[in-house]
Amino acid sequence: MSSLTSILVIVLNFVRWAGLIVIAIVAIGILIAESARTKLAATRVIGVGASAVLAGVVLWVLPALINYARIDSNSIVPNFPVGYGS
């Protein structure tokens, strides 16, 4: 693995973990704000929790999905200039 690749992997892991931490902090803040404003219903707790889990999963999986889409794009749009290699 080259040094650029290792740096990018470290940055990716940092962004993933930092994003998960931010999502957790925001979810806890929303729960505290909702509980201070009104009685906290179970549906709101489940809704906020499910939204936070979904956001975390999307944040974690999105780089891999983008990579798969980039790799598979050559089968949809060939990787050569127009009119070449038909």
Side-chain angles (χ1 to χ4, degrees):
M1 194 164 30
S2 70
S3 62
L4 178 61
T5 305
S6 63
I7 290 171
L8 290 175
V9 167
I10 291 169
V11 169
L12 174 66
N13 285 331
F14 174 77
V15 169
R16 279 180 170 172
W17 283 108
L20 289 178
I21 291 168
V22 168
I23 288 171
I25 290 171
V26 168
I28 291 169
I30 290 172
L31 286 176
I32 291 171
E34 286 292 324
S35 65
R37 195 166 38 144
T38 59
K39 262 206 276 185
L40 197 59
T43 56
R44 289 191 189 219
V45 172
I46 292 171
V48 170
S51 298
V53 168
L54 181 64
V57 168
V58 168
L59 180 76
W60 196 266
V61 173
L62 193 60
L65 290 178
I66 291 171
N67 192 28
Y68 292 148
R70 183 184 56 81
I71 290 170
D72 289 342
S73 67
N74 286 335
S75 62
I76 299 168
V77 179
N79 194 14
F80 50 79
V82 175
Y84 175 78
S86 310

